[in-house]
Amino acid sequence: MSGTINKAFVLGFTGNDPKSRDIGNGDTAVSVSVATKETWQDSAGEKKERTTWHSVVSYNQRINEVFNKHVRKGDLIAVEGQMQTREIDRDGQKQKVTEIVLPKFRGELTLLPRKDREPS
């Protein structure tokens, strides 16, 4: 196969306010956690639920402005980017971290309304 695609799409609720950090040259990276929830019934008919947390990191400065101005903990958002795995050193232990990355010139962020926040 000559071409491949690395695209990740997540629709979920933010678990924290976006966190910005300076990465040099006047650019920033914004990080936020997004939770998705899966529900199903097991073979006994009992309802089961699983929450998965996704780490999202944006290097896209236009998207970062929207994150910083309009996104807060508990907001419903959709993000589209690429899956990337990197190694970090945590307390002397190397760990692999997988993130959804919105690169400098790509990626999408969509802010979605929440019924409990819409005007009546």
Side-chain angles (χ1 to χ4, degrees), residues 4-104:
T4 62
I5 296 173
N6 179 350
K7 186 176 273 196
F9 177 84
V10 173
L11 169 67
F13 293 98
T14 55
N16 58 294
D17 288 346
K19 296 176 185 152
S20 288
R21 69 185 192 293
D22 182 29
I23 58 171
N25 298 331
D27 288 341
T28 59
V30 172
S31 301
V32 68
S33 294
V34 178
T36 56
K37 185 167 55 172
E38 177 183 7
T39 57
W40 70 95
Q41 283 188 348
D42 67 11
S43 58
E46 189 175 327
K47 183 180 177 182
K48 300 287 185 176
E49 183 176 289
R50 174 177 36 234
T51 300
T52 302
W53 288 95
H54 309 272
S55 295
V56 176
V57 180
S58 173
Y59 297 97
N60 183 311
Q61 300 311 298
R62 296 178 106 187
I63 291 173
N64 291 353
E65 288 177 27
V66 175
F67 264 122
N68 289 324
K69 287 182 184 176
H70 302 289
V71 177
R72 295 292 169 258
K73 179 180 179 179
D75 286 345
L76 181 61
I77 65 170
V79 293
E80 185 175 313
Q82 299 174 290
M83 295 298 294
Q84 289 186 9
T85 302
R86 62 186 175 95
E87 213 170 69
I88 62 170
D89 188 336
R90 188 170 282 159
D91 299 326
Q93 299 285 338
K94 291 191 185 248
Q95 292 182 333
K96 288 191 176 190
V97 177
T98 301
E99 302 165 319
I100 298 172
V101 175
L102 286 64
K104 190 168 186 166

